[in-house]
Amino acid sequence: LSPQDLAGQRFVISAGGTREPIDPVRFLGNRSTGRFGIALALAAAHRGASVDLVACNVDAALLPHHPTITIHEAGSARELQAHMVRLADGAQVVIMTAAVADFRPATATESKLKKDGTVPEFDLVENPDILHGLASDRDHGAYVVGFAAETGDEHGSVLDYGRAKAKKKGADLLVVNRVGETSGFGDVETAITILDRFGEIRAEAGGSKSQMAGVVINTIISSRTGD
Ligand code: C5P
């Protein structure tokens, strides 16, 4: 039996990827499966927390069944934001693992776009940055944790990009997840570095997503209490 050290605490965790409608049948989306958020929800619940899991387009077969996990479904970024803002109020910890589309089609057409010999064009507008909003407006009182899937390139390392993002987002912790051909998406080993809002390293680890979920939760608990 796991220690029930999170009893009495409520975690709000987003998982999966948003879908931004183009027309009734098409969307702009991404490849996030939701596995990391689900692993976090289970890790927190096993330790006694109650969890609101906001699942964005997660395969039903992956969704957890646990008595203290409540699942809320969201489709688009704006639906996700509405859930997160409502649920964050009075929670102890909010974790954004969902891959949120930065842009959405300005208007979704009511009928299916037809193939009529011309190439369709549509404008994009920017979605709200949900994590930045939760980190800026602290009325909810929760500890705020974000995720960043990063790749390195000739201009900077994964850590360089992670540090810049940690400072920009202003979350209490940012979990930097190295993504590439062999890690990041799906059910694979992953490597994480956890940064605070100043870009300082709080933890580094590698392994399965459920092992990494344990590291993330432990780092949240120790950082929040200031050990
Ligand atoms: O900027 P980037 O998308 O890499 O940041 C990733 C983090 O920000 C994740 O925690 C993600 O859930 C969150 N995010 C958000 N709203 C957006 C874009 C990202 O909350 N529009």
Side-chain angles (χ1 to χ4, degrees), residues 1 7 29 61 67 77 93 128 135 137 142 146 149 151 155 164 169 176 184 186 192 196 199 206 222 226:
L1 204 68
V93 179
D137 179 356
T151 54
H155 303 295
K169 295 273 183 179
V176 181
I192 59 168
D196 66 18
S222 62

Side-chain angles (χ1 to χ4, degrees), residues 171-194:
D172 298 303
L173 294 176
L174 187 76
V175 181
V176 181
N177 185 4
R178 184 182 298 267
V179 293
E181 284 176 12
T182 58
S183 66
F185 289 97
D187 189 16
V188 289
E189 297 272 304
T190 193
I192 59 168
T193 303
I194 306 179

Side-chain angles (χ1 to χ4, degrees), residues 45 78 157 192 203:
R78 286 187 297 172
S157 65
I192 59 168

Side-chain angles (χ1 to χ4, degrees), residues 14 77 96-102 127-132 145-150 165 168-169 174:
S14 70
M96 283 292 300
T97 77
V100 184
D102 291 315
N127 269 331
D129 190 321
I130 303 166
L131 179 63
H132 187 260
V145 181
F147 268 66
E150 296 291 344
K165 197 164 285 183
K168 192 173 110 202
K169 295 273 183 179
L174 187 76

Side-chain angles (χ1 to χ4, degrees), residues 10-216:
R10 186 164 63 85
F11 280 56
V12 184
I13 302 173
S14 70
T18 68
R19 290 181 178 176
E20 311 300 323
I22 296 170
D23 71 11
V25 296
R26 303 184 180 93
F27 56 83
L28 293 178
N30 61 72
R31 291 166 51 203
S32 177
T33 60
R35 281 190 169 88
F36 216 135
I38 290 165
L40 281 165
L42 284 167
H46 286 150
R47 287 164 62 167
S50 73
V51 179
D52 287 299
L53 177 63
V54 186
C56 303
N57 310 297
V58 175
D59 185 343
L62 292 178
L63 289 174
H65 298 277
H66 187 285
T68 67
I69 300 179
T70 305
I71 293 171
H72 311 261
E73 307 242 10
S76 66
R78 286 187 297 172
E79 285 171 25
L80 173 61
Q81 182 184 41
H83 280 291
M84 294 308 291
V85 168
R86 176 174 52 82
L87 293 167
D89 202 18
Q92 278 66 47
V93 179
V94 174
I95 310 177
M96 283 292 300
T97 77
V100 184
D102 291 315
F103 303 97
R104 67 175 182 275
T107 50
T109 58
E110 273 174 31
S111 51
K112 191 181 159 191
L113 290 175
K114 305 287 188 283
K115 189 172 172 185
D116 63 0
T118 63
V119 178
E121 284 184 18
F122 50 87
D123 291 326
L124 297 175
V125 294
E126 201 163 354
N127 269 331
D129 190 321
I130 303 166
L131 179 63
H132 187 260
L134 291 166
S136 310
D137 179 356
R138 294 292 187 140
D139 286 350
H140 51 71
Y143 196 77
V144 177
V145 181
F147 268 66
E150 296 291 344
T151 54
D153 61 21
E154 66 276 20
H155 303 295
S157 65
V158 169
L159 190 56
D160 294 333
Y161 285 110
R163 285 202 158 111
K165 197 164 285 183
K167 292 173 192 164
K168 192 173 110 202
K169 295 273 183 179
D172 298 303
L173 294 176
L174 187 76
V175 181
V176 181
N177 185 4
R178 184 182 298 267
V179 293
E181 284 176 12
T182 58
S183 66
F185 289 97
D187 189 16
V188 289
E189 297 272 304
T190 193
I192 59 168
T193 303
I194 306 179
L195 304 175
D196 66 18
R197 63 164 81 205
F198 308 108
E200 298 297 326
I201 297 176
R202 290 299 182 94
E204 273 182 299
S208 69
K209 285 187 177 170
S210 64
Q211 286 171 325
M212 294 307 93
V215 172
V216 171

